[in-house]
Amino acid sequence: MIRATVTAMAWQLGRSKGTVAGKMPLQTFDAETVFLLQQMNQMPDYLRFPFKMVTLFYGLHTILTHGKPFHALQPQQRDAVIRKWKHAKISFMSTFIRFFEGLVTVHVYSRQ
Amino acid sequence: MYNKTQFSDQLYTTIPARRHYDHIVIGSGPGGAITGCMLAEAGRDVLVLEEGGYFDLDDIEPFSIEEMKHKYRNGGLTLAFGKIKINYVEGKCVGGGSEVNSGLYHRTPKDVLAAWRNDFQLKDADEESLEPFFQQCEKDVCISYNPGVLSKASLKLAEGAEKKGWSQQEVPRWFSYSGKMDAEGQAEGVKMSMTQTYLPRMMKAGGRLMPQTRVLKIVQTGGHQVIHCEHQGQRFDLTCKHCFVCAGAVQTPQILHKSGLGKHIGERFLLHPTIKVTALFKEEVNRESMGVPVHQVKEFAPRFSFGCSISTPPYLAMAMTDHPNSAELVNTVWKKMAIYYAMTNAAGKGAVKALPVYKDPLVQYGITQEEKQHLAEGLKKLCELLFAAGAEVLYPSIAGSSPLHSMEDVNKLPASIPAATSNLMTIHLFSSCPMGENRHVCATDSYGKLHGVEGLYINDASLLPTALGVNPQGTVMAFALRNIDHFIKHTS
């Protein structure tokens, strides 16, 4: 479930970052998925498990709100969930999205 | 340019059969490399241990994702926790921070040295006593000014400062320029990091280096230090008479905490909180291989100072995640964009704490209201400077903030940076084990020997008693030279 959620985040965020003027849009975000998983495994060890639990919660909480886990949502629905978390007043929610957004962004632009 | 294959006889790539050395140095960054080099050149028996891998300078592109993955601790995902979380980065490779930083050089400011002498009773820390060590460092790592065409983004900082009548300076780097220029007039040369300077010297003098070796703890027994290590999953012990912990301002206190050694360890950790702003200019200021920006504005130091950051498209795109509606600009006009920073001098209080079970330490930094105000004021002044230099729009690293189009917009910025949305970072970490004779606050004596502990020394950024307000590596190197010189003269 964690891998599915990370993959969905990489694709969702990658699609919004992956078109550079004058170049073809990126078609696949497997490299970003691998990068995100590598970085999650490199983070300080006391943060690793809690972060994975938040990822799991993030991946599953949409079952209550949308009837499906995050990775099974339509792109527009995923976008809405990301926006909601990004602008949440609870800091861990916005930090969580910032983590994924920052890493996907830097990786996508490093590929261009 | 040196590479690791030239020193294969001095490199341990597996656990060595020999387990005792007279001197063991933990860490191969500027402090550890200098310590190991001076010991070896004095004819001492020395082994340097490094947790990270050994990469030649041209193995990995500077300021790239690969560098982040392979040369930074925790892949660059390290945070100081507090009311505002501050992202920091540390090198974890042979050569430590010197392999990944910009290489900008400053001597220790006079007023900082005076405060260290007065408040921490630090001996022999006047300018005259330190002069030979600074001179030696400057010669060893070729401190020099860039003779080529400087980056336009960096020159914009100088232009804005001149228009405002504020003092600015070009900062020298540890860099050996070859005298050749590329087609665009940029000077060619080699960064004089530790893998190009002190570490080769150390190995030529007979010192040994063992990368990919993590020190778990140090145990003192029978006048010797037993170093518990781990190399690629295998645990083993080494012993030595004298051990120098030079693992940086976060890892040094972590190792000492895990070892239960020393007092005032990790209690006064400091950093330079830094806020960034991305500027969009009318004309092009950026390009492929822009190089390292070298101008800094010290008009308002020590409250705050300004500089220009690495501004490659990946860095720009990441900076613009705070401004999603304008993020597309990076795709179209990145050559007109550059990232600048305002950095304040540390006034808060941090700590490095070892956690039971975990390998990584908890790092905390309590930013003060004064620092938040200085950062906010610094941000405003920086914006003023950038508008004077011709910026059209500015994007501060405050999530959800509006782009700034004029000084009218700048004046609407809050008087103190908002805790919930400001994205702060730093690359300058120090003061976790201050040196000096004042035993109420200092972990070591004036030369890095742990108070009340025999045979154990610190010789890295942890020792600096307070923040500097400038890039700290010059100070770290000069004090490392001074301390190891004192050790060699006073031990047989």
Side-chain angles (χ1 to χ4, degrees):
Chain A
M1 174 53 73
I2 289 173
R3 191 183 176 92
T5 305
V6 171
T7 304
M9 287 295 276
W11 281 71
Q12 194 62 32
L13 293 166
R15 280 153 59 118
S16 67
K17 308 283 180 192
T19 308
V20 171
K23 295 191 180 178
M24 287 291 287
L26 294 172
Q27 297 299 313
T28 170
F29 299 94
D30 294 340
E32 280 68 29
T33 305
V34 171
F35 179 57
L36 285 173
L37 291 167
Q38 280 174 344
Q39 291 296 91
M40 282 172 72
N41 285 327
Q42 281 214 66
M43 64 170 51
D45 50 4
Y46 60 89
L47 287 177
R48 227 171 279 159
F49 181 72
F51 193 86
K52 284 182 179 173
M53 289 303 100
V54 175
T55 309
L56 192 62
F57 171 75
Y58 179 82
L60 292 174
H61 88 286
T62 52
I63 294 174
L64 296 175
T65 54
H66 295 74
K68 290 177 182 174
F70 178 78
H71 70 266
L73 297 178
Q74 293 297 314
Q76 299 91 325
Q77 292 173 309
R78 289 182 190 171
D79 257 344
V81 174
I82 289 170
R83 270 202 307 276
K84 190 176 166 189
W85 273 57
K86 187 174 177 177
H87 298 114
K89 286 186 178 167
I90 302 170
S91 72
F92 89 84
M93 294 168 79
S94 53
T95 303
F96 178 82
I97 299 298
R98 188 172 173 80
F99 169 87
F100 283 102
E101 191 176 26
L103 291 179
V104 169
T105 302
V106 79
H107 198 278
V108 163
Y109 278 83
S110 296
R111 285 214 274 160
Q112 304 298 332
Chain B
M1 195 159 83
Y2 289 113
N3 63 67
K4 54 185 172 288
T5 57
Q6 292 170 263
F7 303 104
S8 50
D9 290 346
Q10 301 304 114
L11 274 178
Y12 288 145
T13 53
T14 56
I15 297 171
R18 186 182 156 201
R19 297 295 176 90
H20 181 82
Y21 298 82
D22 289 345
H23 309 81
I24 287 181
V25 180
I26 302 169
S28 67
I34 286 174
T35 304
C37 177
M38 294 302 129
L39 287 168
E41 289 185 346
R44 304 290 182 97
D45 174 41
V46 59
L47 169 66
V48 175
L49 303 173
E50 166 57 49
E51 187 181 354
Y54 195 161
F55 302 96
D56 292 327
L57 272 184
D58 52 4
D59 280 349
I60 295 175
E61 189 188 338
F63 310 111
S64 67
I65 276 212
E66 289 308 303
E67 185 174 85
M68 192 172 155
K69 284 197 282 194
H70 298 293
K71 289 188 172 180
Y72 285 2
R73 182 169 294 282
N74 300 115
L77 301 176
T78 32
L79 276 178
F81 289 89
K83 281 181 188 167
I84 301 183
K85 290 186 282 296
I86 301 177
N87 181 231
Y88 67 86
V89 291
E90 285 182 290
K92 195 185 95 171
C93 57
V94 171
S98 74
E99 306 300 312
V100 295
N101 63 21
S102 296
L104 299 175
Y105 178 86
H106 288 274
R107 285 191 178 193
T108 320
K110 290 178 195 174
D111 57 330
V112 171
L113 288 176
W116 291 0
R117 292 193 301 272
N118 293 335
D119 301 342
F120 295 83
Q121 297 164 22
L122 183 63
K123 290 181 189 168
D124 300 331
D126 55 282
E127 283 175 274
E128 195 181 337
S129 307
L130 289 165
E131 181 65 28
F133 301 108
F134 277 114
Q135 282 188 11
Q136 186 64 47
C137 287
E138 288 158 13
K139 185 176 160 217
D140 290 345
V141 298
C142 299
I143 296 301
S144 41
Y145 289 94
N146 188 336
V149 174
L150 301 179
S151 86
K152 286 183 183 171
S154 187
L155 288 166
K156 277 287 177 193
L157 199 72
E159 180 189 330
E162 276 166 22
K163 284 186 177 167
K164 298 301 299 179
W166 298 343
S167 67
Q168 56 83 25
Q169 61 186 110
E170 183 192 335
V171 181
R173 298 175 68 202
W174 43 93
F175 208 92
S176 175
Y177 293 99
S178 66
K180 291 181 184 170
M181 306 288 169
D182 68 12
E184 291 171 318
Q186 278 197 318
E188 294 178 359
V190 177
K191 182 177 169 182
M192 299 302 274
S193 65
M194 295 302 112
T195 56
Q196 296 303 312
T197 54
Y198 291 106
L199 290 171
R201 277 173 55 182
M202 190 247 333
M203 290 188 275
K204 280 182 187 173
R208 293 180 179 275
L209 173 64
M210 185 170 180
Q212 295 183 294
T213 304
R214 181 185 178 95
V215 170
L216 304 171
K217 69 174 181 177
I218 303 163
V219 177
Q220 295 205 303
T221 173
H224 282 79
Q225 325 290 328
V226 180
I227 320 288
H228 295 290
C229 309
E230 189 178 75
H231 176 77
Q232 297 181 334
Q234 279 186 285
R235 292 194 175 188
F236 66 104
D237 291 346
L238 296 167
T239 59
C240 63
K241 191 172 180 193
H242 301 286
C243 177
F244 295 83
V245 189
C246 311
V250 173
Q251 298 305 314
T252 287
Q254 164 77 348
I255 291 168
L256 293 170
H257 275 310
K258 290 277 184 187
S259 310
L261 294 168
K263 287 183 179 172
H264 307 304
I265 302 293
E267 291 175 0
R268 297 174 63 93
F269 170 74
L270 294 173
L271 47 77
H272 283 151
T274 302
I275 191 163
K276 292 193 172 182
V277 60
T278 304
L280 172 65
F281 290 93
K282 289 172 194 157
E283 70 273 32
E284 290 190 357
V285 295
N286 201 344
R287 60 175 177 172
E288 313 281 352
S289 65
M290 166 178 127
V292 171
V294 290
H295 289 92
Q296 291 182 345
V297 175
K298 297 287 179 193
E299 174 76 17
F300 306 99
R303 279 187 302 151
F304 48 82
S305 55
F306 313 138
C308 181
S309 292
I310 299 298
S311 302
T312 59
Y315 279 73
L316 283 167
M318 196 152 73
M320 292 298 284
T321 55
D322 289 322
H323 297 272
N325 296 335
S326 308
E328 286 292 308
L329 287 170
V330 181
N331 297 339
T332 51
V333 291
W334 70 269
K335 287 186 179 177
K336 294 182 178 181
M337 300 172 82
I339 305 170
Y340 298 85
Y341 66 82
M343 173 182 96
T344 186
N345 213 352
K349 191 179 174 192
V352 179
K353 294 176 182 169
L355 298 169
V357 183
Y358 293 110
K359 282 182 181 175
D360 294 307
L362 177 66
V363 178
Q364 296 170 305
Y365 187 76
I367 196 166
T368 62
Q369 188 57 30
E370 184 189 16
E371 282 174 298
K372 289 199 287 180
Q373 286 168 351
H374 284 174
L375 279 173
E377 190 187 348
L379 180 63
K380 286 182 185 180
K381 292 284 185 193
L382 175 59
C383 292
E384 196 177 333
L385 179 153
L386 291 169
F387 278 131
E392 287 191 316
V393 192
L394 301 173
Y395 303 91
S397 61
I398 300 173
S401 64
S402 300
L404 310 171
H405 294 87
S406 64
M407 279 310 295
E408 200 176 316
D409 292 341
V410 172
N411 290 332
K412 288 178 192 162
L413 286 172
S416 172
I417 55 158
T421 51
S422 298
N423 292 305
L424 304 187
M425 56 76 61
T426 190
I427 49 173
H428 299 161
L429 314 167
F430 29 70
S431 308
S432 51
C433 308
M435 60 184 162
E437 304 306 320
N438 181 351
R439 288 188 176 229
H440 295 295
V441 288
C442 293
T444 78
D445 70 9
S446 294
Y447 301 95
K449 179 183 171 298
L450 256 78
H451 282 305
V453 182
E454 289 306 310
L456 200 52
Y457 306 80
I458 297 173
N459 210 10
D460 63 16
S462 315
L463 291 177
L464 309 187
T466 65
L468 300 166
V470 296
N471 305 58
Q473 192 171 312
T475 300
V476 173
M477 290 195 296
F479 272 91
L481 262 181
R482 161 194 179 270
N483 294 351
I484 197 62
D485 179 70
H486 182 271
F487 172 84
I488 290 168
K489 284 178 179 160
H490 291 83
T491 57
S492 55

